[in-house]
Amino acid sequence: MNSNPPSGGDKDGPPAGKPPLPRSPRAALEPERVPLPSRHLRRVRHPIVFVGNAIFTLLVVVSIAIGAGLFIGKQRFEAPGPLAEDKVVNIPRGLGIRDIADLLQREGVIDQPYVFMGGVIVLKARGELKYGEYQFSKQSSVSEVVDTIIESKVVQHVFTVPEGLTSEQIVGRLLENSALTGQIKEIPREGTLLPETYRFTRGMTREQIIQRMQQAHRRVLQEVWDRRVQDLPVKTPEQLVTLASIVEKETGKPDERTRVAAVFVNRLKSKMRLQSDPTIIYGLTGGKGSLGRPILKSEIEQPTPYNTYLVDGLPPGPIANPGRASLEAAANPARTKELYFVADGTGGHVFSENYAEHQKNVARLRGIEHGNSNATPPAPSGSPNSAKP
């Protein structure tokens, strides 16, 4: 008997070439053993893949950070600002973005200068920041502040010239206006400035305002001259301005202008002297203003080139700067035969066609001035002798 085990046998399994022995039911339920893969079989990552993944991750992180920063920045850009009430701030010429941000912070308009600068850069509006005087509303957001500046929504000042001022008086008002700059070379010729309301921005020169007033006067005068009545006893636009200036100084009531103009036009046609008190005053003061008192009898008889009690026809030039309404009244006077008018004691005038009727009106005014119990309230300041023969 051979005691050696069969060749190729395995103590853990059936002999080679023989079918496997049947497994018991319990053994059949046990999982089979699967050999583990060797470590040296694990695939090694390529360096380029590793770097690519790192870059992608970095980009994702940066994108998230930028998005978060823009979101936060946008919120701060549009959040209400620190201003407790409306405020005007003057931004001088030549300031850069950082200087403007610092100025706005000092003035209390914004409290985050870097948000202001960042917003301007994001909007690509660096070159659109304009100097000037700006009014910022209460609690203006940085967004609203930037929009106000880049849209150049500067503060608009107004300069109003009442009708009937002389050129010297207008120049005086221009010099008193602190929002204007520069000096005035010379007083403009009388009657060449149009009384009106002019808008301007801080820093505009006084000469520029005068130029605008002169341009407006020329435009309006040409329009009125082209529409004048044909039988008007004035030959040039300059004479029309002179007549209109007298009308302007004689009455401040709009509904009287054409009747006052008619009186002077009728007198010119009848070769009567105009006898207008304002012409006496202009001759005495040289356009500096009113006398501040009634005209003296000696002054009525005092010769000056403008005293229409002594000179025939129109004076040599305007006695004030008339407005459009007086220019239109002089160019298109009422169709009346009236030759006289005198104050009525209520701010207006009483008109008459003959001297006898005019004398009654003057006597009535005298009674008002002396406190006649049957009279109406006292007359305003001014001479009652206007347009007497």
Side-chain angles (χ1 to χ4, degrees):
M1 172 183 272
N2 189 358
S3 60
N4 295 324
S7 61
D10 189 347
K11 63 179 180 180
D12 296 326
K18 293 184 179 182
L21 297 174
R23 301 174 65 187
S24 66
R26 181 176 181 178
L29 294 176
E30 293 181 357
E32 295 183 359
R33 295 180 180 177
V34 180
L36 294 176
S38 302
R39 290 189 177 184
H40 68 275
L41 296 179
R42 186 180 296 174
R43 187 173 59 182
V44 179
R45 294 183 179 178
H46 196 282
I48 294 179
V49 176
F50 180 80
V51 172
N53 289 339
I55 293 175
F56 177 76
T57 303
L58 180 62
L59 290 175
V60 171
V61 172
V62 170
S63 298
I64 293 173
I66 292 175
L70 290 175
F71 177 76
I72 295 173
K74 185 174 184 298
Q75 283 189 321
R76 293 182 178 179
F77 193 60
E78 297 176 351
L83 267 183
E85 57 185 12
D86 294 358
K87 186 169 188 177
V88 174
V89 177
N90 184 36
I91 299 178
R93 184 195 297 265
L95 294 188
I97 182 173
R98 178 58 185 268
D99 298 324
I100 295 175
D102 290 342
L103 172 62
L104 293 174
Q105 185 181 29
R106 288 196 303 270
E107 294 291 340
V109 178
I110 62 175
D111 54 8
Q112 301 182 77
Y114 288 102
V115 174
F116 173 87
M117 291 187 289
V120 171
I121 293 171
V122 169
L123 293 173
K124 298 180 180 179
R126 235 173 138 163
E128 299 179 30
L129 297 178
K130 302 175 179 67
Y131 71 92
E133 188 178 30
Y134 296 93
Q135 178 168 336
F136 300 105
S137 302
K138 175 183 178 181
Q139 293 186 322
S140 290
S141 66
V142 177
S143 173
E144 292 169 333
V145 171
V146 171
D147 179 68
T148 297
I149 298 175
I150 65 177
E151 294 294 331
S152 193
K153 299 175 182 177
V154 293
V155 174
Q156 292 289 322
H157 294 266
V158 295
F159 179 68
T160 300
V161 181
E163 292 89 346
L165 292 184
T166 66
S167 293
E168 187 165 341
Q169 289 174 314
I170 293 174
V171 166
R173 295 194 177 200
L174 285 169
L175 293 174
E176 292 172 356
N177 193 306
S178 60
L180 293 169
T181 61
Q183 296 301 313
I184 296 174
K185 299 176 183 178
E186 60 182 0
I187 296 176
R189 189 161 51 88
E190 200 71 78
T192 60
L193 306 175
L194 184 69
E196 208 171 76
T197 295
Y198 297 87
R199 295 186 177 277
F200 66 95
T201 58
R202 179 176 291 276
M204 182 175 284
T205 67
R206 295 178 174 89
E207 286 287 350
Q208 287 176 312
I209 295 293
I210 288 177
Q211 291 170 8
R212 288 175 59 186
M213 296 175 69
Q214 291 173 328
Q215 291 170 358
H217 167 79
R218 289 192 293 268
R219 172 178 52 79
V220 170
L221 177 59
Q222 189 60 53
E223 292 175 2
V224 173
W225 179 253
D226 291 342
R227 297 197 300 266
R228 73 190 186 281
V229 295
Q230 294 304 312
D231 61 343
L232 203 64
V234 295
K235 305 304 181 185
T236 65
E238 289 71 26
Q239 289 183 344
L240 179 66
V241 175
T242 299
L243 176 59
S245 70
I246 297 174
V247 173
E248 190 74 81
K249 297 298 288 186
E250 284 284 6
T251 182
K253 298 190 71 173
D255 59 345
E256 284 189 350
R257 287 192 178 103
T258 57
R259 291 184 72 182
V260 170
V263 168
F264 292 123
V265 166
N266 292 337
R267 281 178 164 257
L268 287 172
K269 289 180 178 180
S270 302
K271 306 300 181 182
M272 297 173 65
R273 287 178 178 171
L274 300 184
Q275 295 184 314
S276 169
D277 288 0
T279 63
I280 297 176
I281 296 171
Y282 189 86
L284 294 173
T285 65
K288 295 184 183 301
S290 64
L291 288 174
R293 55 171 174 76
I295 299 174
L296 303 176
K297 183 178 180 181
S298 60
E299 291 170 334
I300 296 175
E301 299 170 353
Q302 182 176 332
T304 74
Y306 289 88
N307 188 344
T308 54
Y309 278 80
L310 302 178
V311 300
D312 297 328
L314 292 167
I319 62 172
N321 289 277
R324 175 189 279 270
S326 291
L327 287 168
E328 291 177 341
N332 294 274
R335 292 293 182 178
T336 71
K337 296 180 180 180
E338 295 164 343
L339 293 170
Y340 308 91
F341 63 88
V342 67
D344 63 4
T346 64
H349 294 85
V350 180
F351 297 82
S352 53
E353 296 182 4
N354 57 70
Y355 186 60
E357 186 180 351
H358 174 65
Q359 283 292 81
K360 293 179 182 178
N361 293 333
V362 171
R364 177 174 176 272
L365 179 66
R366 298 297 188 201
I368 294 173
E369 291 178 332
H370 288 84
N372 189 322
S373 58
N374 297 321
T376 53
S381 61
S383 172
N385 299 316
S386 298
K388 70 180 181 181

